[in-house]
Amino acid sequence: MRWGITGHRGLSAPVERLIRSELATQVQQHDGVDLIGVSCIADGPDAWFAEAVLEHGGRIDVVIPAEQYRDGLPENRHSTYDKLIAQAVEVHSTGMRESTAQAHMAGSEILVGLVDRLVAVWDGLPARGYGGTADVVAYARHMGVPVDVVWPAGASRA
């Protein structure tokens, strides 16, 4: 089972707890030995999902949207990014240099092409910018990839 992740970043600590719990529950429904999580390992749901897959005994593949992608992540999340990329079985890249919205969407398109299902930590609203979670969900659905939406009751975005 190859399962990908997309989701909103910048969620509050209470929402993070809800999302992490739901992601762990979903991951535990699969045999860890056969589970491969595919993620761009950005801060937030991307990293939480990758961590949950690894904790459950699965493996991760990483998609890097751009050479400068890591530099655009919050500095306090670099160690998590580095730890996760070091544990990746495979690393895929768009070949793009700058970490732009176009690179992020290109990375998401690669991710969708690699997976059997996509989990989306999504509030159901339109994307706030090109390549946002809603755009990735729409692309996955267009490509025929099933999408499992995770948005627990009581969750909200800033």
Short mmCIF file of all heavy atoms in Angstrom, two decimals, residues 43 69-85:
data_model
loop_
_atom_site.label_atom_id
_atom_site.label_comp_id
_atom_site.label_asym_id
_atom_site.label_seq_id
_atom_site.Cartn_x
_atom_site.Cartn_y
_atom_site.Cartn_z
N ASP A 43 6.73 20.80 7.34
CA ASP A 43 6.25 20.89 8.71
C ASP A 43 4.74 20.69 8.72
O ASP A 43 4.05 21.02 7.76
CB ASP A 43 6.63 22.24 9.33
CG ASP A 43 6.15 23.42 8.50
OD1 ASP A 43 6.58 23.53 7.33
OD2 ASP A 43 5.36 24.23 9.01
N TYR A 69 13.85 23.87 -1.14
CA TYR A 69 12.63 23.59 -0.37
C TYR A 69 12.88 23.63 1.13
O TYR A 69 12.17 24.30 1.87
CB TYR A 69 12.09 22.22 -0.80
CG TYR A 69 10.82 21.77 -0.12
CD1 TYR A 69 9.62 22.44 -0.33
CD2 TYR A 69 10.82 20.65 0.70
CE1 TYR A 69 8.44 21.99 0.26
CE2 TYR A 69 9.65 20.19 1.30
CZ TYR A 69 8.47 20.88 1.08
OH TYR A 69 7.31 20.44 1.66
N ARG A 70 13.89 22.92 1.60
CA ARG A 70 14.19 22.86 3.04
C ARG A 70 14.42 24.26 3.60
O ARG A 70 13.99 24.57 4.71
CB ARG A 70 15.42 21.99 3.28
CG ARG A 70 15.81 21.88 4.75
CD ARG A 70 17.13 21.08 4.87
NE ARG A 70 17.57 20.94 6.23
CZ ARG A 70 18.33 21.83 6.87
NH1 ARG A 70 18.71 22.96 6.28
NH2 ARG A 70 18.71 21.60 8.12
N ASP A 71 15.09 25.12 2.84
CA ASP A 71 15.38 26.48 3.30
C ASP A 71 14.11 27.29 3.56
O ASP A 71 14.12 28.21 4.36
CB ASP A 71 16.25 27.22 2.29
CG ASP A 71 17.60 26.56 2.09
OD1 ASP A 71 18.07 25.84 3.00
OD2 ASP A 71 18.20 26.77 1.01
N GLY A 72 13.02 26.95 2.89
CA GLY A 72 11.77 27.67 3.05
C GLY A 72 10.92 27.17 4.21
O GLY A 72 9.89 27.77 4.54
N LEU A 73 11.33 26.08 4.83
CA LEU A 73 10.60 25.56 5.98
C LEU A 73 11.05 26.29 7.25
O LEU A 73 12.17 26.81 7.30
CB LEU A 73 10.86 24.05 6.13
CG LEU A 73 10.45 23.18 4.94
CD1 LEU A 73 10.88 21.73 5.18
CD2 LEU A 73 8.96 23.27 4.68
N PRO A 74 10.20 26.33 8.28
CA PRO A 74 10.62 26.97 9.53
C PRO A 74 11.92 26.34 10.05
O PRO A 74 12.06 25.11 10.05
CB PRO A 74 9.45 26.69 10.49
CG PRO A 74 8.28 26.44 9.60
CD PRO A 74 8.85 25.79 8.35
N GLU A 75 12.83 27.18 10.47
CA GLU A 75 14.15 26.70 10.90
C GLU A 75 14.07 25.67 12.02
O GLU A 75 14.84 24.71 12.05
CB GLU A 75 15.02 27.88 11.34
CG GLU A 75 16.47 27.50 11.52
CD GLU A 75 17.36 28.70 11.73
OE1 GLU A 75 17.15 29.73 11.08
OE2 GLU A 75 18.28 28.58 12.57
N ASN A 76 13.10 25.84 12.91
CA ASN A 76 12.98 24.89 14.02
C ASN A 76 12.47 23.52 13.57
O ASN A 76 12.41 22.59 14.36
CB ASN A 76 12.10 25.45 15.14
CG ASN A 76 10.66 25.63 14.74
OD1 ASN A 76 10.31 25.61 13.56
ND2 ASN A 76 9.79 25.83 15.71
N ARG A 77 12.11 23.36 12.31
CA ARG A 77 11.64 22.08 11.77
C ARG A 77 12.70 21.39 10.90
O ARG A 77 12.49 20.28 10.43
CB ARG A 77 10.36 22.28 10.96
CG ARG A 77 9.21 22.91 11.74
CD ARG A 77 8.85 22.19 13.01
NE ARG A 77 8.39 20.86 12.72
CZ ARG A 77 8.29 19.87 13.60
NH1 ARG A 77 8.62 20.06 14.84
NH2 ARG A 77 7.87 18.68 13.24
N HIS A 78 13.85 22.05 10.70
CA HIS A 78 14.89 21.48 9.84
C HIS A 78 15.39 20.13 10.36
O HIS A 78 15.65 19.22 9.57
CB HIS A 78 16.06 22.45 9.68
CG HIS A 78 15.75 23.59 8.78
ND1 HIS A 78 16.69 24.51 8.40
CD2 HIS A 78 14.60 23.99 8.17
CE1 HIS A 78 16.15 25.42 7.61
NE2 HIS A 78 14.87 25.12 7.46
N SER A 79 15.54 19.98 11.69
CA SER A 79 16.06 18.72 12.22
C SER A 79 15.07 17.57 11.95
O SER A 79 15.50 16.45 11.64
CB SER A 79 16.36 18.83 13.72
OG SER A 79 15.19 19.11 14.45
N THR A 80 13.77 17.84 12.04
CA THR A 80 12.77 16.81 11.72
C THR A 80 12.86 16.44 10.24
O THR A 80 12.84 15.26 9.89
CB THR A 80 11.35 17.30 12.08
OG1 THR A 80 11.30 17.58 13.47
CG2 THR A 80 10.30 16.26 11.71
N TYR A 81 12.96 17.46 9.39
CA TYR A 81 13.09 17.23 7.95
C TYR A 81 14.32 16.36 7.66
O TYR A 81 14.24 15.37 6.94
CB TYR A 81 13.19 18.58 7.23
CG TYR A 81 13.32 18.47 5.73
CD1 TYR A 81 12.20 18.47 4.91
CD2 TYR A 81 14.57 18.37 5.12
CE1 TYR A 81 12.31 18.39 3.53
CE2 TYR A 81 14.70 18.28 3.74
CZ TYR A 81 13.56 18.29 2.96
OH TYR A 81 13.68 18.19 1.59
N ASP A 82 15.45 16.73 8.26
CA ASP A 82 16.69 15.99 8.03
C ASP A 82 16.58 14.54 8.51
O ASP A 82 17.04 13.61 7.84
CB ASP A 82 17.86 16.67 8.74
CG ASP A 82 18.16 18.05 8.16
OD1 ASP A 82 17.73 18.35 7.03
OD2 ASP A 82 18.84 18.83 8.86
N LYS A 83 15.96 14.35 9.67
CA LYS A 83 15.79 13.01 10.23
C LYS A 83 14.92 12.15 9.31
O LYS A 83 15.23 11.00 9.04
CB LYS A 83 15.16 13.09 11.63
CG LYS A 83 14.93 11.74 12.30
CD LYS A 83 14.23 11.89 13.62
CE LYS A 83 12.76 12.06 13.35
NZ LYS A 83 11.86 11.91 14.45
N LEU A 84 13.84 12.73 8.81
CA LEU A 84 12.93 11.98 7.96
C LEU A 84 13.54 11.66 6.60
O LEU A 84 13.41 10.54 6.10
CB LEU A 84 11.60 12.73 7.80
CG LEU A 84 10.73 12.79 9.06
CD1 LEU A 84 9.56 13.73 8.86
CD2 LEU A 84 10.27 11.39 9.48
N ILE A 85 14.21 12.63 6.01
CA ILE A 85 14.80 12.36 4.68
C ILE A 85 15.89 11.30 4.78
O ILE A 85 16.08 10.50 3.86
CB ILE A 85 15.28 13.65 3.99
CG1 ILE A 85 15.36 13.43 2.48
CG2 ILE A 85 16.61 14.12 4.54
CD1 ILE A 85 15.43 14.68 1.66
#
